[in-house]
Amino acid sequence: MALFQRLTTAWMVWTVATKRVGPVGGLVVTAIVVGGLVYLKPWLAENAPVVGRLVGDT
């Protein structure tokens, strides 16, 4: 389920970002957002439990 959530988030971010910064910029923005969510997931689960539950399986 977490993979599906990441793919859905990536699709939404890419769709919005491509309208603003083009396809290459959209790819960069998507990589930053999804990478940031994956990287910050443990920190969010510990320090902001409500947001941590929204981001992933915690």
Side-chain angles (χ1 to χ4, degrees), residues 9 13 28-38:
T9 302
V13 169
V28 171
V29 169
T30 302
I32 291 170
V33 169
V34 173
L37 287 176
V38 169

Side-chain angles (χ1 to χ4, degrees), residues 1 7 9 13-14 21 24 27 30 37 40 46 48 50 52:
M1 187 59 129
L7 288 174
T9 302
V13 169
W14 187 80
V21 293
V24 175
L27 185 62
T30 302
L37 287 176
L40 291 175
E46 183 178 322
V50 174

Side-chain angles (χ1 to χ4, degrees), residues 15-57:
T15 304
V16 172
T18 53
K19 293 178 183 177
R20 303 292 267 165
V21 293
V24 175
L27 185 62
V28 171
V29 169
T30 302
I32 291 170
V33 169
V34 173
L37 287 176
V38 169
Y39 180 74
L40 291 175
K41 181 179 168 184
W43 184 86
L44 288 171
E46 183 178 322
N47 295 325
V50 174
V51 178
R53 281 193 300 270
L54 291 174
V55 170
D57 300 323

